[in-house]
Amino acid sequence: RLGLNLSVSIEPAAAGTGGALRHAGDMLADRFILLNGDTWLEINYHALLAQLDATGAVAALGLRPVDRPDRYDTAVLDDGLIRDFGRERPTSSLALINGGVAACTRALFDLLPDTGSIEALVWPKLAREGRLAGLVTDGFFLDIGVPEAFERAQQAIPARHRRGAVFFDRDGVLNIDRGYVGSIDRFEWLDGAREAVKLVNESGRYAFVVTNQAGVAKGHYGEADVQALHAHMQRELNAAGAHIDDFRYCPYHLAGSVAEYARHSDCRKPEPGMLVELMRDWPVDVGDSVMIGDKASDMAAARAAGVRGALFSGGPLKAFVRSQVLPKKETQCRR
């Protein structure tokens, strides 16, 4: 589903995090995300990359506020830059810890040791030089570095993957509905649409697009055009620090002029097929899911799929999502 290709780099001898990364250098792009293998921090990677670019830093760390930092490295953040990094300061109260996620540039390789720790040798140096950025998140954080945490993770990780979803209709919700929008030149975002998707991303829910595309059946454009348009949407969302987890479209219509597509399909709203497929392919919490649409057929599809429908009638989509779709955030322990 995710199209993931995995390559493994094993250093000849244990070289610490810095040496291991140096050994894998030829496999990495000019900008890359670095993840600790024993922690999980939910953070918007696109927003972290944007913070890296905005500050001109060598790297940007994902930071998580916790009540008792204990064994973690902590950071002092000022105007987007980490000014101090390490464990030397008293940290008995709320502090920002390194969540084990970093957006990096290849300039980092100029500082990596052949053997040694990035956390001990590189991040403190970059902080002192004003070349280490930070981005704070309240996202879910899990560290399996001690046995009791590892045991908790056996239940916490599967449970966390199961989450609510927001299903977005496309034309009339995310973009202006000009009728048969099948090419990039006819596509225009609605006010607040990209920000709305980002809001959903940062709420921890999946973001899906489910769209009827009868223009394929009626010969206005082809499936390749729909896919190219969705790729364009994803690129522009990524630039805004947002993303869609999966796109689904229905190219069929009974009145189609293209024989291959001129038929009934249960994926065409008001039928629930696209939503049902997504809930089959992703671990969706149906009870915490919403369909945003601008037509009665969208609401009917939501009812048939067993999710709540939210009828959008215009205005800034971000404000609509905040007030009508996402519940108010409850106060929670940050530990």
Side-chain angles (χ1 to χ4, degrees):
R1 181 183 69 219
L2 298 178
L4 179 67
N5 293 316
L6 181 65
S7 299
V8 178
S9 171
I10 303 175
E11 68 269 40
T17 52
L21 181 60
R22 174 177 286 282
H23 187 264
D26 291 342
M27 305 168 66
L28 300 173
D30 291 340
R31 294 156 76 244
F32 59 93
I33 299 290
L34 179 65
L35 306 174
N36 284 2
D38 58 355
T39 61
W40 176 14
L41 176 68
E42 284 187 353
I43 191 169
N44 186 326
Y45 294 156
H46 298 296
L48 189 61
L49 285 164
Q51 183 78 334
L52 176 70
D53 295 339
T55 58
V58 171
L61 305 187
L63 304 175
R64 178 68 160 79
V66 299
D67 291 329
R68 297 186 304 279
D70 297 340
R71 55 195 172 86
Y72 298 109
D73 291 315
T74 61
V76 175
L77 188 68
D78 178 30
D79 197 24
L81 289 174
I82 295 173
R83 304 297 182 177
D84 194 12
F85 182 93
R87 304 188 194 182
E88 293 78 14
R89 298 175 306 281
T91 52
S92 59
S93 59
L94 185 69
L96 297 176
I97 66 166
N98 174 24
V101 177
C104 308
T105 70
R106 289 197 65 87
L108 181 63
F109 286 90
D110 295 335
L111 302 169
L112 292 177
D114 292 329
T115 302
S117 165
I118 294 177
E119 294 81 4
L121 301 175
V122 179
W123 297 153
K125 176 178 173 59
L126 286 175
R128 291 192 298 270
E129 295 173 353
R131 297 195 294 160
L132 185 65
L135 183 67
V136 179
T137 177
D138 280 323
F140 178 78
F141 176 71
L142 180 68
D143 178 359
I144 60 170
V146 294
E148 57 269 25
F150 179 81
E151 291 302 320
R152 288 197 302 270
Q154 307 314 301
Q155 287 76 45
I157 291 176
R160 193 64 189 176
H161 278 299
R162 189 165 192 83
R163 60 185 68 178
V166 175
F167 301 87
F168 289 94
D169 176 42
R170 200 191 77 181
D171 303 334
V173 173
L174 293 175
N175 59 280
I176 296 174
D177 187 355
R178 295 190 166 99
Y180 303 119
V181 178
S183 59
I184 294 171
D185 64 294
R186 301 193 70 233
F187 180 88
E188 183 178 350
W189 291 100
L190 279 173
D191 182 22
R194 282 168 286 192
E195 296 83 357
V197 175
K198 183 177 180 182
L199 194 63
V200 170
N201 297 152
E202 294 178 346
S203 77
R205 291 164 178 79
Y206 296 116
F208 301 129
V209 167
V210 288
T211 174
N212 289 344
Q213 290 299 313
V216 175
K218 296 183 179 182
H220 297 296
Y221 44 83
E223 288 196 65
D225 298 309
V226 177
Q227 294 161 8
L229 179 51
H230 289 168
H232 168 76
M233 292 174 63
Q234 191 75 286
R235 288 191 296 271
E236 295 215 326
L237 284 166
N238 292 170
H243 70 276
I244 293 294
D245 290 290
D246 206 346
F247 290 85
R248 295 297 166 94
Y249 64 91
C250 183
Y252 304 105
H253 196 285
L254 277 172
S257 58
V258 180
E260 180 183 357
Y261 300 104
R263 66 173 179 83
H264 170 79
S265 172
D266 64 4
C267 74
R268 179 174 172 78
K269 296 174 292 184
E271 299 294 328
M274 288 186 285
L275 286 80
V276 171
E277 285 182 4
L278 285 164
M279 291 188 290
R280 178 196 66 203
D281 293 344
W282 294 77
V284 172
D285 180 351
V286 178
D288 190 29
S289 297
V290 184
M291 168 79 207
I292 304 176
D294 63 332
K295 297 181 177 65
S297 58
D298 298 316
M299 299 301 98
R303 287 192 299 272
V307 305
R308 179 167 69 91
L311 185 63
F312 177 66
S313 58
L317 185 62
K318 180 181 179 181
F320 179 83
V321 166
R322 181 182 285 120
S323 64
Q324 302 298 318
V325 176
L326 300 180
K328 291 182 179 179
K329 190 172 183 180
E330 297 179 356
T331 302
Q332 55 182 314
C333 177
R334 289 179 168 177
R335 175 68 175 134

